Amino acid sequence: MPLLFVMNILIENVKILTMADGEEIKNANIYIENEKISKITKEKIEFSYDKKIDGKNFLAMPGFINAHTHVGMSLFRNFSDDVDLMTWLNEKIWPLEDKLIAKDVYWASLLSQAEMIMTGTTTFADMYYFEDQTIKALEKSKMRAQISRGLTLEDENNSKIKENVELFKKYENSQNGRINIAFGPHAVYTTDKNYLKEISKNAKKFNMPIHIHLSETKIENEDCMKRFGQSPTEVFEECGIFENKTIAAHGLYLSDNDLDILSKYDVSIIHNPSSNLKLSSGFLDCTRIIKKGINLAIGTDSSASNNNLSMIKEISLTSLVSKYKNPKNLKAYEVLKMATINGAKALGLEDKIGTLEEGKLADIILIDLNNINHTPQNNLISSLSYSTFDTDISYVIINGDLVYENKKFVYLDQNEIIKNAELSFKNLKERK
């Protein structure tokens, strides 16, 4: 297995979609020095490189940012299908999750991270438990991540909250700055107001962001109104959750007042189209969110409810279903923003990633254009959103480190991951 070392990379003569210059696609060279983009220019400059990539048949763009997922759940892929969310959780997922051990989550995390890398994702926001194992897996994969410990009410002496704080103290800005830690209150139906207030208090104390599920289903909203006389958004506001930087996954059933609250606190909503549709939760009216000026990003949710972690699929699906009522809804470039710079904004990383600009961290993917599905190249923006296959991802660079080269993993052993993930699930099913 290769050792990590600082590398200077030259990507020569490549088409570039910076996501900072609108829809303009230009031909230039990208110079990567240490972990940053040092220069983007058509000019040849004197540069000492360790690796040169011929970009002639590729398009370079920022790596995708998967802003909501649960990477430790990949062992449950295709385990429970064709049911609604609450049946899926109560009868299938939660009983099996109770049997998970740390080793299971380690291999599940590596399985998920390998899948995300090979499909062009460089950063993800995660909510789960045994998160130290997900962080351990990140040492191998070299991905960038915001990690949050899933927090639910069955929490004697607030031990889960304390565990989340310890994760922050131990891992915040670790692995060369690639790891950030957030709080992960699961949802309004798995917490109460006192618990949410305690989380908010700790988030303020340690200046930690928050990752939640919000208004994913109608029944969630209805039950919340019966329980509190408030919407989930109103409950979270009262408890001070939104006074911390917050990403809210799903947001399918938000009132106008809810949207005003989310806009007031600059909460980012994370759209999860495949999971929403598969669990029959509904589909987010993206244009309504955008018109309110709310930052809207994209996530895959887990591969247990998706059933994969391909941001390319989510990009295409987001745009296509949004056009159901109006063909002008969500143009291709708007969706690409949701998958890149909007995801960076959601995680508070827009000054570091999300666009290809000089001085920013080098999180870059190269997409192969020399194939059937990108021919003819009439409109590359549309081609990226509607015609790209996962297998078109040829190179992935994270933090200036080449982690996926010519469609092969640099640091990960694919066969080892598959073997151990299969074994983990077999043992999990047999565990009493």
Side-chain angles (χ1 to χ4, degrees), residues 140-153:
K140 277 198 170 186
S141 75
K142 316 302 180 189
M143 292 188 76
R144 190 183 308 282
Q146 183 197 84
I147 301 293
S148 58
R149 203 284 185 211
L151 302 171
T152 54
L153 203 52

Side-chain angles (χ1 to χ4, degrees), residues 261-408:
I261 291 169
L262 297 170
S263 178
K264 173 185 173 183
Y265 290 98
D266 198 24
V267 175
S268 292
I269 295 176
I270 315 303
H271 183 34
N272 303 268
S274 292
S275 181
N276 293 340
L277 289 170
K278 184 168 180 289
L279 292 170
S280 198
S281 299
F283 194 84
L284 182 67
D285 184 350
C286 295
T287 54
R288 181 168 171 255
I289 306 299
I290 293 169
K291 284 177 181 176
K292 278 285 187 178
I294 294 171
N295 184 51
L296 182 61
I298 296 178
T300 61
D301 214 335
S302 75
S303 53
S305 64
N306 186 307
N307 293 4
N308 63 46
L309 301 175
S310 168
M311 285 290 286
I312 291 170
K313 183 182 76 170
E314 302 306 304
I315 289 166
S316 180
L317 190 60
T318 293
S319 185
L320 291 173
V321 180
S322 294
K323 293 178 182 297
Y324 173 69
K325 292 183 179 179
N326 186 335
K328 294 183 179 179
N329 283 348
L330 273 196
K331 295 179 180 178
Y333 185 72
E334 290 180 287
V335 184
L336 291 173
K337 282 180 65 179
M338 290 167 62
T340 54
I341 185 58
N342 289 11
K345 289 176 181 175
L347 302 185
L349 296 173
E350 67 270 31
D351 60 331
K352 297 179 179 178
I353 60 172
T355 58
L356 302 189
E357 299 180 76
E358 293 175 5
K360 277 196 167 185
L361 296 172
D363 285 13
I364 303 171
I365 60 175
L366 297 187
I367 298 171
D368 182 8
L369 301 176
N370 188 31
N371 50 40
I372 295 293
N373 46 296
H374 289 294
T375 304
Q377 292 179 13
N378 290 320
N379 182 329
L380 280 178
I381 301 293
S382 293
S383 202
L384 291 171
S385 290
Y386 305 123
S387 305
T388 300
F389 296 158
D390 292 337
T391 50
D392 295 337
I393 304 298
S394 297
Y395 293 84
V396 176
I397 298 167
I398 303 175
N399 227 40
D401 191 13
L402 186 60
V403 302
Y404 194 64
E405 181 178 8
N406 199 20
K407 305 184 182 181
K408 289 183 172 61

Side-chain angles (χ1 to χ4, degrees), residues 87-136:
T87 302
W88 181 78
L89 283 172
N90 286 302
E91 297 181 15
K92 295 291 185 178
I93 299 301
W94 283 342
L96 204 56
E97 277 186 332
D98 285 342
K99 301 177 182 179
L100 281 171
I101 62 173
K103 188 177 180 181
D104 298 330
V105 175
Y106 173 74
W107 289 111
S109 296
L110 266 182
L111 183 67
S112 293
Q113 289 167 35
E115 181 179 0
M116 285 191 284
I117 287 171
M118 68 188 290
T119 54
T121 293
T122 53
T123 300
F124 65 93
D126 193 63
M127 179 199 292
Y128 210 49
Y129 48 99
F130 292 117
E131 287 287 34
D132 58 323
Q133 297 301 306
T134 297
I135 293 169
K136 181 181 174 184

Side-chain angles (χ1 to χ4, degrees), residues 102-259:
K103 188 177 180 181
D104 298 330
V105 175
Y106 173 74
W107 289 111
S109 296
L110 266 182
L111 183 67
S112 293
Q113 289 167 35
E115 181 179 0
M116 285 191 284
I117 287 171
M118 68 188 290
T119 54
T121 293
T122 53
T123 300
F124 65 93
D126 193 63
M127 179 199 292
Y128 210 49
Y129 48 99
F130 292 117
E131 287 287 34
D132 58 323
Q133 297 301 306
T134 297
I135 293 169
K136 181 181 174 184
L138 284 163
E139 291 178 5
K140 277 198 170 186
S141 75
K142 316 302 180 189
M143 292 188 76
R144 190 183 308 282
Q146 183 197 84
I147 301 293
S148 58
R149 203 284 185 211
L151 302 171
T152 54
L153 203 52
E154 302 81 21
D155 190 2
E156 190 174 345
N157 299 319
N158 292 333
S159 60
K160 294 177 184 176
I161 294 176
K162 292 171 184 173
E163 181 186 328
N164 209 148
V165 170
E166 287 308 308
L167 280 173
F168 175 82
K169 290 178 177 178
K170 186 173 182 179
Y171 295 111
E172 176 70 9
N173 283 321
S174 63
Q175 298 187 25
N176 198 24
R178 291 183 290 105
I179 310 299
N180 297 115
I181 307 297
F183 277 109
H186 176 261
V188 74
Y189 57 88
T190 49
T191 56
D192 65 16
K193 288 186 177 181
N194 287 335
Y195 193 59
L196 290 169
K197 287 174 182 176
E198 184 66 21
I199 292 167
S200 179
K201 182 181 77 174
N202 278 275
K204 289 172 188 173
K205 179 179 178 180
F206 294 101
N207 193 27
M208 291 170 63
I210 289 179
H211 185 168
I212 59 170
H213 295 88
L214 177 67
S215 292
E216 185 174 357
T217 64
K218 282 184 179 179
I219 195 168
E220 175 187 332
N221 275 23
E222 291 167 358
D223 287 350
C224 189
M225 289 300 296
K226 290 175 186 175
R227 185 179 173 197
F228 298 113
Q230 297 171 295
S231 72
T233 297
E234 290 166 343
V235 170
F236 285 133
E237 181 191 29
E238 180 190 326
C239 296
I241 292 296
F242 299 146
E243 293 167 21
N244 310 281
K245 186 166 184 60
T246 304
I247 56 176
H250 302 290
L252 273 69
Y253 299 97
L254 298 169
S255 68
D256 288 342
N257 184 56
D258 290 339
L259 292 180

